[in-house]
Amino acid sequence: MTSSFPMQNYPLTLDKFIDHAAKWHGPATIVTAARGVAVDRVGYATLRSRSNLLSGALQAVGLRTGDRVWTLAWNSAHHLEVYYATMNAGLVCHTLNPRLTPAHLSAIVNEAADRVLAVSANLMTLLADLLPLCPTIERVIVLDDAAEIAGDAWPVPVDALDGFVGTYGAAVDWGAFPEESPAGLCFTSGTTGAPKGVVFTHRSNYLHTLMSIQPDAYCLSAKDTILVAIPMFHANAWGLPFSAPAVGANLVLPGRDLDGASLAALIRSENVTIAGGVQTVWIGLLDHLDATGGDVPSLERIIIGGSKCPDALIRRMEERLGVRVQTTWGMTEMSPLGTVDSIQFAPMASRSSGRPPIGVDLKLTDAGGNTLLVQRGTIGNLKVKGAAIIERYFNADASALDSDGYFDTGDLATIDEGGSLTICGRSKDLIKSGGEWINPAEIEDIVGRDPRVAQVAVIGKAHPKWGERPVLVVELRTGGAAQARTLMDGLRGRIADWWLPDEIVTLPRMPLAATGKIDKVRLRAGYEAGEYSDVQRARD
């Protein structure tokens, strides 16, 4: 019988990546670390075998296609095993941030109706509070160092990973489902609103991987050793758990330890060439090296995401570390890569977020959703379209797209003549003062260039006359001595006088979400509750 396809039927399922790495990149390794020291080292072939047996074990205890497995874990080879064991068997890997409260975690777990929890051993202290709140959880699997588990103390079976696989594990066939099947579930960080669930499919993650490894994107290859300082519980860890095996690169997974000393030791010992993470991670590394001396000579490139990185910090990173900083922009709803600054071109004086890879399209609209006739050199509401971009949120009946099939990111942006994107702020963050709009991102960008400032945010406060007025919130670098009027001097003449903040709040540590983005919801709540003691009038 003649096939109806002129080419082979090759479903785009994620098992292809680990199968490829196991067969063709045997020498490559996955390193798990704790406190900056490697504690486990495994090859792709072994990881593939262990993941496959775990798939069989999950099926043996009753999980079926589409069921969801919750992971509450740090970056480790065991967590990566759960990624592939669940997804490749047609299950859904639901990653969640361990730093959320039990009430917050349980609300999300109950919405997702997760059946099994895979938890890092050092997070087991959360179980006593969590399990009574999560009635859908039928079993717990403990990852990493789980030598002693009091199994009879829990309302559901609790097993160490090795013991669970030893009892129930069996080799199974992977990929026996359509490529449109769900693979992962991740809830947005909720830094500007309530978290929403985003479902990644095998096809979307596969195509996202092909986009991300391109020379003008992450530019990955088998010669690289990649440090994943992005939490694996957030937005596919930017896709690196798939793109690294796709090209056969070594992976370095730092566990929960992202402090400067641990990262410096790990980069040196494992000869890391590429590292991915948010700006707060690299501030810690820089401060450590400045305080103790030393370098990270193997490191060639840092891929940075999350919130917009100040130009002063980028310059500091490149000059102190001797690396090329690659800025990106994206969001959970985009799997998450949207645009990336290509390393094939000389960096610009003021770094943009780069251009979209093939598979992502951008457009700018006005506030009413109408496409702007001029798409270059103007600021508009940013909408996106592509193969790895959300169509609707988890459990939502309505599509999240406009009539042209584009998703509204909620960002304000501009695109230059070369096609490079610059994010100009969040539309929800705009402050309406006296009937006119103030854009916090423009103020943050200027203040963020001051080398004394580590982190900066602008929030709105209620005002009886003007409706809202801006408040500047800063976290100063160690030893910084900037005062309110000094920071204001840097703003005067560069923004309209009526944009100048009324107050400056100095915090020892800026509240951050797990993604590394500044949590403006918490900032506003803390300010309104009067929790901040160092508040200065910024002007007379």
Side-chain angles (χ1 to χ4, degrees), residues 84-340:
Y84 280 108
T86 52
M87 298 179 189
N88 295 351
L91 306 174
V92 180
C93 185
H94 178 197
T95 56
L96 262 172
N97 176 9
R99 298 184 179 94
L100 297 178
T101 66
H104 196 169
L105 287 169
S106 61
I108 296 174
V109 168
N110 293 334
E111 181 179 348
D114 298 322
R115 293 186 59 189
V116 170
L117 164 62
V119 60
S120 287
N122 56 16
L123 292 169
M124 285 192 66
T125 53
L126 295 174
L127 293 189
D129 292 328
L130 274 174
L131 289 180
L133 302 176
C134 304
T136 64
I137 296 296
E138 303 167 11
R139 180 178 293 271
V140 175
I141 302 168
V142 183
L143 311 179
D144 308 321
D145 183 15
E148 297 182 10
I149 298 174
D152 57 355
W154 307 105
V156 298
V158 177
D159 298 289
L161 176 63
D162 289 345
F164 178 70
V165 173
T167 301
Y168 299 104
V172 297
D173 291 331
W174 276 343
F177 43 79
E179 63 183 28
E180 294 84 1
S181 300
L185 174 62
C186 182
F187 278 70
T188 58
S189 60
T191 55
T192 58
K196 296 179 182 178
V198 178
V199 178
F200 310 114
T201 68
H202 283 261
R203 183 177 185 273
S204 68
N205 275 351
Y206 197 107
L207 293 174
H208 182 272
T209 301
L210 298 186
M211 293 189 297
S212 70
I213 62 177
Q214 294 177 62
D216 279 342
Y218 292 165
C219 192
L220 307 180
S221 79
K223 72 177 180 62
D224 289 313
T225 296
I226 304 170
L227 170 67
V228 185
I230 311 111
M232 289 175 64
F233 51 77
H234 172 66
N236 288 323
W238 298 355
L240 292 171
F242 309 117
S243 54
V247 300
N250 300 305
L251 264 179
V252 179
L253 304 173
R256 69 184 300 173
D257 303 303
L258 298 179
D259 59 281
S262 295
L263 291 181
L266 198 53
I267 291 168
R268 292 189 194 110
S269 64
E270 297 302 325
N271 293 311
V272 170
T273 58
I274 298 174
V278 299
Q279 57 181 285
T280 50
V281 169
W282 310 123
I283 291 172
L285 176 62
L286 288 164
D287 288 346
H288 169 75
L289 294 176
D290 286 348
T292 62
D295 295 294
V296 283
S298 66
L299 192 61
E300 301 170 1
R301 186 155 42 100
I302 287 177
I303 303 171
I304 194 164
S307 53
K308 188 179 186 298
C309 189
D311 290 340
L313 177 57
I314 293 175
R315 287 194 298 272
R316 183 185 175 206
M317 293 166 66
E318 293 188 331
E319 292 169 4
R320 178 63 180 87
L321 303 178
V323 301
R324 170 66 187 269
V325 173
Q326 222 178 337
T327 52
T328 68
W329 167 80
M331 56 196 310
T332 303
E333 289 91 338
M334 300 181 72
S335 300
L337 182 61
T339 63
V340 59

Side-chain angles (χ1 to χ4, degrees), residues 340-401:
V340 59
D341 174 34
S342 173
I343 63 170
Q344 311 302 322
F345 301 96
M348 295 180 291
S350 181
R351 205 69 57 89
S352 75
S353 297
R355 291 181 293 191
I358 181 67
V360 177
D361 190 31
L362 315 175
K363 76 170 180 178
L364 301 177
T365 75
D366 62 20
N370 303 300
T371 302
L372 296 179
L373 295 179
V374 177
Q375 289 283 306
R376 297 290 192 268
T378 187
I379 295 177
N381 294 72
L382 179 62
K383 294 190 176 185
V384 292
K385 187 177 188 178
I389 298 172
I390 192 173
E391 190 274 331
R392 69 186 62 218
Y393 287 101
F394 178 69
N395 280 344
D397 295 325
S399 173
L401 308 183

